[in-house]
Amino acid sequence: MVKPLDPGIYIVATPIGNLGDVSARAVAVLGGVAAVACEDTRVTGKLLHHLGLKQKLIRYDDHASEATRDHLLGIAATAPLALVSDAGTPLISDPGYQLVVAARALGIPVTSIPGPSAAIVALTLAGLPSDRFLFAGFLPSKDKARREVLAELASIKATLVFYETAPRLAASLTAIGEELPLRTVAVARELTKKFEECRSGSPADLIAHYAAHPPKGEIVLLVAPPGEIVVSEADGEALLKTALLSLKPSQAAAEVARQTGLDRKALYARALELK
Ligand code: SAM
């Protein structure tokens, strides 16, 4: 006989497209809880139906009222409660953070049943450095704010991972092309699904490709760390000359070093010669 689950919150990751990715432990836990808190009862209802389960569903997101959160915490204090999102791992650009904070503050046990998350699937596919990465959620939808975020992240020596939507891909690639022009970028689309694709190249290559083939479906966008691409001296010099049109030598050297990972002191020496 299977041991009943202890009271507490069970964060359960669910598939991001391929239902075969639901883990045996996720199924056992979903089948053993008193209720499932979820973003959309129709979406989670379909998953439970597929798994042959009929647990009670309670709609929840981080904007839910305190009364809803208190109701869930009340359940979790005395019975097992699952938290799922529409797809993937809860709390990763999905609801759950506020519930976990409140549960921990009250001493309610929280455990996580790991499984798919699009950011990690994309990172394993993209062929970009995976030893250090920074997950930055969705880029802002307004162009100015998007560029500010990219400028803020530009010097971070890690692969940048963003969630994206098909209608906004072109605008994000354009902003990356202008803020981080020499980086290799990867677009990972429809992961774990029939039309899974992972395409990498320069921002300009990808802008041209997706202008000719408008993307559909769900997308993760990845940007290589600075210095990861090989920039020839000629490329560096060309960028330096362009930068010197509007910047002082020290600023031009710093900007090109930021974009390329080339040595700032050597660029500065060359900038003084060119000036
Ligand atoms: N919590 C989820 C996770 O762990 O992956 C992410 C939820 S977030 C609201 C939805 C975003 O995740 C999509 O806009 C897309 O960027 C990414 N995503 C989810 N499923 C995906 C898939 N199958 N292929 C590519 N990206 C996906």
Short mmCIF file of all heavy atoms in Angstrom, two decimals, residues 85-123:
data_model
loop_
_atom_site.label_atom_id
_atom_site.label_comp_id
_atom_site.label_asym_id
_atom_site.label_seq_id
_atom_site.Cartn_x
_atom_site.Cartn_y
_atom_site.Cartn_z
N SER A 85 1.49 24.80 -12.49
CA SER A 85 1.16 25.91 -13.38
C SER A 85 0.64 25.30 -14.68
O SER A 85 0.54 24.07 -14.80
CB SER A 85 2.38 26.81 -13.60
OG SER A 85 3.45 26.08 -14.12
N ASP A 86 0.34 26.14 -15.67
CA ASP A 86 -0.21 25.59 -16.92
C ASP A 86 0.76 24.60 -17.55
O ASP A 86 0.36 23.61 -18.15
CB ASP A 86 -0.50 26.72 -17.93
CG ASP A 86 -1.79 27.45 -17.58
OD1 ASP A 86 -2.49 27.02 -16.65
OD2 ASP A 86 -2.08 28.46 -18.25
N ALA A 87 2.07 24.92 -17.48
CA ALA A 87 3.08 24.03 -18.07
C ALA A 87 4.42 24.33 -17.43
O ALA A 87 4.71 25.47 -17.08
CB ALA A 87 3.17 24.28 -19.58
N GLY A 88 5.23 23.30 -17.26
CA GLY A 88 6.58 23.49 -16.75
C GLY A 88 6.62 23.59 -15.23
O GLY A 88 5.75 23.05 -14.53
N THR A 89 7.63 24.29 -14.74
CA THR A 89 7.88 24.35 -13.31
C THR A 89 7.21 25.59 -12.71
O THR A 89 7.50 26.70 -13.15
CB THR A 89 9.41 24.37 -13.05
OG1 THR A 89 9.98 23.19 -13.62
CG2 THR A 89 9.72 24.44 -11.58
N PRO A 90 6.34 25.41 -11.71
CA PRO A 90 5.75 26.57 -11.05
C PRO A 90 6.84 27.50 -10.50
O PRO A 90 7.97 27.05 -10.23
CB PRO A 90 4.94 25.94 -9.90
CG PRO A 90 4.61 24.57 -10.37
CD PRO A 90 5.82 24.13 -11.18
N LEU A 91 6.53 28.76 -10.36
CA LEU A 91 7.43 29.82 -9.86
C LEU A 91 8.43 30.31 -10.91
O LEU A 91 9.06 31.35 -10.73
CB LEU A 91 8.23 29.43 -8.61
CG LEU A 91 7.48 29.48 -7.27
CD1 LEU A 91 6.73 28.18 -7.02
CD2 LEU A 91 8.43 29.77 -6.12
N ILE A 92 8.67 29.54 -11.99
CA ILE A 92 9.63 29.98 -13.01
C ILE A 92 8.83 30.75 -14.07
O ILE A 92 8.21 30.13 -14.95
CB ILE A 92 10.39 28.77 -13.62
CG1 ILE A 92 11.01 27.92 -12.52
CG2 ILE A 92 11.45 29.25 -14.61
CD1 ILE A 92 11.98 28.66 -11.59
N SER A 93 8.77 32.08 -13.91
CA SER A 93 7.87 32.94 -14.70
C SER A 93 6.44 32.42 -14.62
O SER A 93 5.69 32.47 -15.59
CB SER A 93 8.31 33.03 -16.17
OG SER A 93 9.48 33.80 -16.28
N ASP A 94 6.09 31.90 -13.50
CA ASP A 94 4.75 31.37 -13.25
C ASP A 94 4.40 31.59 -11.78
O ASP A 94 5.30 31.83 -10.97
CB ASP A 94 4.72 29.85 -13.56
CG ASP A 94 4.19 29.58 -14.96
OD1 ASP A 94 3.54 30.46 -15.54
OD2 ASP A 94 4.42 28.47 -15.46
N PRO A 95 3.11 31.47 -11.42
CA PRO A 95 2.70 31.72 -10.04
C PRO A 95 3.30 30.73 -9.04
O PRO A 95 3.69 29.61 -9.41
CB PRO A 95 1.18 31.54 -10.09
CG PRO A 95 0.80 31.65 -11.51
CD PRO A 95 1.98 31.19 -12.31
N GLY A 96 3.34 31.16 -7.79
CA GLY A 96 3.73 30.26 -6.70
C GLY A 96 4.62 30.92 -5.66
O GLY A 96 4.61 30.51 -4.50
N TYR A 97 5.36 31.95 -6.08
CA TYR A 97 6.33 32.55 -5.16
C TYR A 97 5.67 33.02 -3.86
O TYR A 97 6.13 32.70 -2.76
CB TYR A 97 7.04 33.71 -5.88
CG TYR A 97 7.90 34.56 -4.99
CD1 TYR A 97 9.05 34.04 -4.41
CD2 TYR A 97 7.56 35.88 -4.72
CE1 TYR A 97 9.85 34.81 -3.58
CE2 TYR A 97 8.35 36.66 -3.90
CZ TYR A 97 9.48 36.13 -3.33
OH TYR A 97 10.26 36.90 -2.51
N GLN A 98 4.57 33.77 -3.99
CA GLN A 98 3.93 34.32 -2.79
C GLN A 98 3.42 33.20 -1.88
O GLN A 98 3.49 33.30 -0.65
CB GLN A 98 2.74 35.22 -3.18
CG GLN A 98 3.12 36.43 -4.00
CD GLN A 98 4.00 37.42 -3.21
OE1 GLN A 98 4.17 37.28 -1.99
NE2 GLN A 98 4.56 38.39 -3.90
N LEU A 99 2.94 32.14 -2.49
CA LEU A 99 2.42 31.02 -1.68
C LEU A 99 3.56 30.35 -0.92
O LEU A 99 3.43 30.00 0.26
CB LEU A 99 1.73 30.01 -2.61
CG LEU A 99 0.99 28.87 -1.92
CD1 LEU A 99 -0.21 29.41 -1.12
CD2 LEU A 99 0.50 27.83 -2.94
N VAL A 100 4.71 30.18 -1.58
CA VAL A 100 5.85 29.53 -0.93
C VAL A 100 6.38 30.41 0.21
O VAL A 100 6.68 29.91 1.30
CB VAL A 100 6.96 29.21 -1.97
CG1 VAL A 100 8.24 28.78 -1.28
CG2 VAL A 100 6.48 28.12 -2.93
N VAL A 101 6.47 31.72 -0.04
CA VAL A 101 6.94 32.64 1.01
C VAL A 101 6.03 32.51 2.24
O VAL A 101 6.51 32.36 3.38
CB VAL A 101 6.94 34.09 0.49
CG1 VAL A 101 7.18 35.08 1.63
CG2 VAL A 101 8.00 34.27 -0.59
N ALA A 102 4.72 32.55 2.00
CA ALA A 102 3.77 32.50 3.12
C ALA A 102 3.85 31.15 3.84
O ALA A 102 3.84 31.09 5.07
CB ALA A 102 2.35 32.76 2.60
N ALA A 103 3.97 30.06 3.06
CA ALA A 103 4.01 28.73 3.67
C ALA A 103 5.26 28.59 4.55
O ALA A 103 5.19 28.09 5.68
CB ALA A 103 4.00 27.65 2.58
N ARG A 104 6.39 29.05 4.04
CA ARG A 104 7.63 28.93 4.82
C ARG A 104 7.54 29.76 6.10
O ARG A 104 7.99 29.33 7.16
CB ARG A 104 8.84 29.34 3.97
CG ARG A 104 9.10 28.34 2.82
CD ARG A 104 10.32 28.73 2.02
NE ARG A 104 11.52 28.63 2.81
CZ ARG A 104 12.25 27.53 2.95
NH1 ARG A 104 11.90 26.43 2.31
NH2 ARG A 104 13.31 27.53 3.71
N ALA A 105 6.93 30.95 5.98
CA ALA A 105 6.80 31.81 7.17
C ALA A 105 5.94 31.13 8.25
O ALA A 105 6.16 31.32 9.44
CB ALA A 105 6.20 33.16 6.77
N LEU A 106 4.98 30.34 7.79
CA LEU A 106 4.07 29.67 8.75
C LEU A 106 4.60 28.30 9.19
O LEU A 106 3.94 27.60 9.95
CB LEU A 106 2.70 29.49 8.09
CG LEU A 106 1.90 30.77 7.83
CD1 LEU A 106 0.69 30.48 6.96
CD2 LEU A 106 1.49 31.41 9.15
N GLY A 107 5.74 27.89 8.64
CA GLY A 107 6.29 26.59 9.00
C GLY A 107 5.58 25.43 8.33
O GLY A 107 5.68 24.28 8.77
N ILE A 108 4.84 25.71 7.26
CA ILE A 108 4.18 24.63 6.50
C ILE A 108 5.21 23.99 5.58
O ILE A 108 5.91 24.71 4.85
CB ILE A 108 2.99 25.19 5.68
CG1 ILE A 108 1.91 25.70 6.64
CG2 ILE A 108 2.44 24.16 4.70
CD1 ILE A 108 0.78 26.44 5.96
N PRO A 109 5.39 22.68 5.60
CA PRO A 109 6.42 22.06 4.76
C PRO A 109 6.17 22.31 3.26
O PRO A 109 5.02 22.28 2.81
CB PRO A 109 6.30 20.56 5.07
CG PRO A 109 5.52 20.47 6.34
CD PRO A 109 4.65 21.69 6.41
N VAL A 110 7.24 22.57 2.55
CA VAL A 110 7.16 22.77 1.09
C VAL A 110 8.15 21.80 0.47
O VAL A 110 9.30 21.71 0.91
CB VAL A 110 7.57 24.22 0.70
CG1 VAL A 110 7.48 24.40 -0.81
CG2 VAL A 110 6.71 25.24 1.42
N THR A 111 7.70 21.08 -0.54
CA THR A 111 8.63 20.21 -1.26
C THR A 111 8.38 20.38 -2.76
O THR A 111 7.32 20.83 -3.17
CB THR A 111 8.49 18.73 -0.79
OG1 THR A 111 9.55 17.98 -1.38
CG2 THR A 111 7.18 18.13 -1.19
N SER A 112 9.41 20.07 -3.55
CA SER A 112 9.30 20.32 -4.99
C SER A 112 9.52 19.02 -5.75
O SER A 112 10.47 18.29 -5.48
CB SER A 112 10.35 21.36 -5.38
OG SER A 112 10.10 21.85 -6.67
N ILE A 113 8.63 18.74 -6.68
CA ILE A 113 8.73 17.53 -7.50
C ILE A 113 9.27 18.00 -8.86
O ILE A 113 8.51 18.55 -9.67
CB ILE A 113 7.34 16.86 -7.70
CG1 ILE A 113 6.54 16.84 -6.38
CG2 ILE A 113 7.49 15.48 -8.32
CD1 ILE A 113 7.19 16.12 -5.23
N PRO A 114 10.57 17.84 -9.11
CA PRO A 114 11.16 18.48 -10.29
C PRO A 114 10.71 17.85 -11.60
O PRO A 114 10.29 16.69 -11.64
CB PRO A 114 12.67 18.30 -10.08
CG PRO A 114 12.79 17.14 -9.16
CD PRO A 114 11.54 17.07 -8.33
N GLY A 115 10.83 18.65 -12.65
CA GLY A 115 10.45 18.17 -13.98
C GLY A 115 10.81 19.22 -15.00
O GLY A 115 11.69 20.05 -14.77
N PRO A 116 10.11 19.26 -16.15
CA PRO A 116 10.51 20.14 -17.24
C PRO A 116 10.44 21.63 -16.88
O PRO A 116 9.57 22.06 -16.14
CB PRO A 116 9.47 19.85 -18.34
CG PRO A 116 8.85 18.55 -17.96
CD PRO A 116 8.94 18.43 -16.48
N SER A 117 11.39 22.36 -17.44
CA SER A 117 11.32 23.82 -17.45
C SER A 117 11.95 24.26 -18.77
O SER A 117 13.07 23.84 -19.10
CB SER A 117 12.06 24.42 -16.26
OG SER A 117 11.82 25.81 -16.25
N ALA A 118 11.23 25.10 -19.53
CA ALA A 118 11.68 25.44 -20.88
C ALA A 118 13.07 26.06 -20.88
O ALA A 118 13.87 25.83 -21.80
CB ALA A 118 10.66 26.39 -21.52
N ALA A 119 13.40 26.85 -19.84
CA ALA A 119 14.71 27.51 -19.80
C ALA A 119 15.83 26.47 -19.81
O ALA A 119 16.83 26.62 -20.53
CB ALA A 119 14.81 28.39 -18.55
N ILE A 120 15.66 25.43 -19.02
CA ILE A 120 16.72 24.42 -18.91
C ILE A 120 16.77 23.56 -20.17
O ILE A 120 17.85 23.23 -20.68
CB ILE A 120 16.47 23.53 -17.65
CG1 ILE A 120 16.49 24.41 -16.39
CG2 ILE A 120 17.49 22.41 -17.56
CD1 ILE A 120 17.80 25.11 -16.11
N VAL A 121 15.60 23.22 -20.71
CA VAL A 121 15.58 22.44 -21.96
C VAL A 121 16.32 23.22 -23.05
O VAL A 121 17.17 22.69 -23.77
CB VAL A 121 14.13 22.12 -22.40
CG1 VAL A 121 14.13 21.31 -23.69
CG2 VAL A 121 13.40 21.35 -21.31
N ALA A 122 16.03 24.53 -23.15
CA ALA A 122 16.66 25.35 -24.19
C ALA A 122 18.17 25.43 -23.98
O ALA A 122 18.95 25.33 -24.93
CB ALA A 122 16.06 26.76 -24.16
N LEU A 123 18.58 25.57 -22.74
CA LEU A 123 20.01 25.68 -22.45
C LEU A 123 20.77 24.41 -22.84
O LEU A 123 21.90 24.48 -23.31
CB LEU A 123 20.19 25.97 -20.95
CG LEU A 123 21.55 26.42 -20.49
CD1 LEU A 123 21.90 27.79 -21.05
CD2 LEU A 123 21.60 26.47 -18.97
#
